[in-house]
Amino acid sequence: MRKRWWIIAVILVLAVVAGGVWQNHRQSSPVTKTTAQPRYVEKKSVRLVAVGDSLTHGQGDEEKKGGYVSIIKHKIEHHYRKTTVSTKNYGVSGDRSDQILARLNSQPKMRANLRKADVITMTVGGNDLMQDLEANIMNSPKTVDKDVDQAKKVYVRHLNQLLTAVRKQNPHAPVFIMSIYNPVYTYFPDVDVINDSIVKWNQTTQKVMGNYHKMYFVNINHLMSWGQYKTADQRQQLIQQEKQANQGKVSQTRLVNIMRNRDHNLNEYISTEDNFHPNHRGYQQMANRLFKSMKDHNSWEYVKR
């Protein structure tokens, strides 16, 4: 019994000593401080520079408010209450990618504003493709595919030159590039050669963008092409209706009649002014999709403090 108590006493003494050593170690050891995380705050002002073709210019906006550029400015200011947005619009109707590049190279003011930009938006590629389709759309699908593939090689070269020039002026600002869409889908939903060409063109743009830092593709193809026909059933009914009129082909007569119809458009997002460009409602749809992407990639809005 005495031996057992002696063992218990030794264990207690060792425990007390060990506790004291541990306490002294804690007191003498340096305290590891948690590294403070950087604090990000909303910018007081954001400079947005828009570059591109007629979709950036705002053609078709019956309210004459500057298309998506004006809308995105107000959306940013409404969502980020502490931020004021200034915009510069360098959109010119009809411009191909090489023509946008030519303006950038010849306009010092445009280059200066690009250098100051916090965020850059762009619409490009529609005229590059449409000018090719207009010349070849009456040919066989195989011929159209071949011509589009050939035009795509030229477009890749021009788009690379344009994006390189933009990045030369501003290496850091995020660039949001919107896709092209099919403005006559609701009249020719059964003509696959147009839809397929647009999909290929958008894939080409997206692939080229992948070679550059902080460039984000905003896909508005289905949004703008389908318009109010949002469900598969609605689009199938549309296809059945248009098959009777088209016989699966594009006719020059029907194209001309569509462009001349200033009173109605089967797509509620497309302007009746030319049945080609977005109306104000269409530009609102574009701005909504753009703003979603801008919120997902919002380095343009915050500054580190």
Side-chain angles (χ1 to χ4, degrees):
M1 180 65 72
R2 287 181 180 178
K3 187 176 180 180
R4 184 181 299 172
W5 278 109
W6 180 81
I7 293 172
I8 294 173
V10 170
I11 292 173
L12 289 173
V13 169
L14 289 174
V16 170
V17 171
V21 170
W22 170 245
Q23 183 65 28
N24 290 334
H25 174 74
R26 287 184 61 195
Q27 291 174 353
S28 60
S29 299
V31 177
T32 303
K33 294 183 179 179
T34 304
T35 304
Q37 294 298 315
R39 178 170 171 258
Y40 292 88
V41 297
E42 292 179 17
K43 292 178 182 176
K44 291 183 179 179
S45 62
V46 166
R47 289 168 290 204
L48 184 150
V49 176
V51 176
D53 48 32
S54 54
L55 298 185
T56 293
H57 176 71
Q59 187 168 338
D61 184 354
E62 70 277 15
E63 296 190 17
K64 308 299 180 185
K65 293 184 177 180
Y68 84 83
V69 177
S70 174
I71 297 169
I72 200 67
K73 165 185 165 65
H74 294 299
K75 290 185 79 67
I76 294 170
E77 290 179 339
H78 178 76
H79 185 81
Y80 300 101
R81 299 296 182 128
K82 298 177 182 178
T83 302
T84 300
V85 180
S86 62
T87 63
K88 297 293 181 182
N89 190 327
Y90 291 100
V92 173
S93 297
D95 265 11
R96 300 183 307 269
S97 53
D98 58 315
Q99 293 170 313
I100 299 171
L101 174 63
R103 283 194 288 116
L104 190 157
N105 289 333
S106 65
Q107 296 180 14
K109 188 79 172 178
M110 183 177 178
R111 295 195 299 274
N113 281 316
L114 278 170
R115 286 193 293 272
K116 297 174 185 175
D118 296 296
V119 59
I120 299 166
T121 63
M122 187 182 299
T123 58
V124 62
N127 293 305
D128 299 72
L129 175 61
M130 288 304 170
Q131 289 179 23
D132 183 75
L133 283 180
E134 285 172 5
N136 298 291
I137 197 62
M138 304 303 168
N139 296 326
S140 68
K142 287 185 178 180
T143 301
V144 173
D145 283 342
K146 183 178 179 181
D147 290 335
V148 168
D149 286 341
Q150 193 63 35
K152 192 167 64 175
K153 295 176 183 177
V154 177
Y155 174 59
V156 167
R157 184 173 73 252
H158 289 163
L159 184 60
N160 266 309
Q161 292 170 344
L162 173 60
L163 298 185
T164 297
V166 169
R167 272 291 171 245
K168 181 179 179 181
Q169 300 304 320
N170 192 322
H172 306 297
V175 180
F176 296 86
I177 301 180
M178 282 182 271
S179 75
I180 65 172
Y181 63 92
N182 182 357
V184 295
Y185 170 84
T186 50
Y187 294 93
F188 301 104
D190 54 323
V191 181
D192 292 334
V193 67
I194 302 178
N195 299 322
D196 293 345
S197 296
I198 287 171
V199 169
K200 288 180 183 177
W201 211 257
N202 283 330
Q203 290 171 343
T204 299
T205 299
Q206 195 168 9
K207 184 176 180 180
V208 171
M209 289 171 60
N211 298 323
Y212 299 86
H213 176 58
K214 290 175 72 172
M215 290 199 178
Y216 306 105
F217 186 71
V218 182
N219 197 337
I220 61 169
N221 181 19
H222 290 163
L223 172 73
M224 294 300 298
S225 299
W226 295 347
Q228 71 273 26
Y229 302 93
K230 297 187 183 299
T231 69
D233 286 343
Q234 289 173 328
R235 292 190 297 276
Q236 191 57 42
Q237 289 178 10
L238 183 67
I239 289 171
Q240 294 304 320
Q241 293 169 8
E242 295 306 315
K243 270 185 177 179
Q244 298 177 4
N246 298 329
Q247 303 297 315
K249 299 178 181 179
V250 176
S251 71
Q252 186 69 36
T253 302
R254 189 138 200 260
L255 272 176
V256 171
N257 288 337
I258 291 168
M259 296 306 171
R260 286 178 176 174
N261 184 358
R262 299 299 180 90
D263 300 320
H264 178 67
N265 192 301
L266 290 179
N267 186 335
E268 293 179 359
Y269 297 161
I270 302 297
S271 170
T272 55
E273 180 182 304
D274 58 12
N275 290 320
F276 194 89
H277 292 92
N279 54 24
H280 189 73
R281 184 178 176 187
Y283 280 118
Q284 286 178 322
Q285 296 295 319
M286 288 174 58
N288 290 343
R289 187 63 57 87
L290 171 62
F291 190 52
K292 182 180 184 302
S293 183
M294 291 179 72
K295 286 191 295 182
D296 290 340
H297 308 284
N298 61 3
S299 62
W300 54 271
E301 168 58 21
Y302 292 96
V303 63
K304 186 164 66 174
R305 289 283 174 85

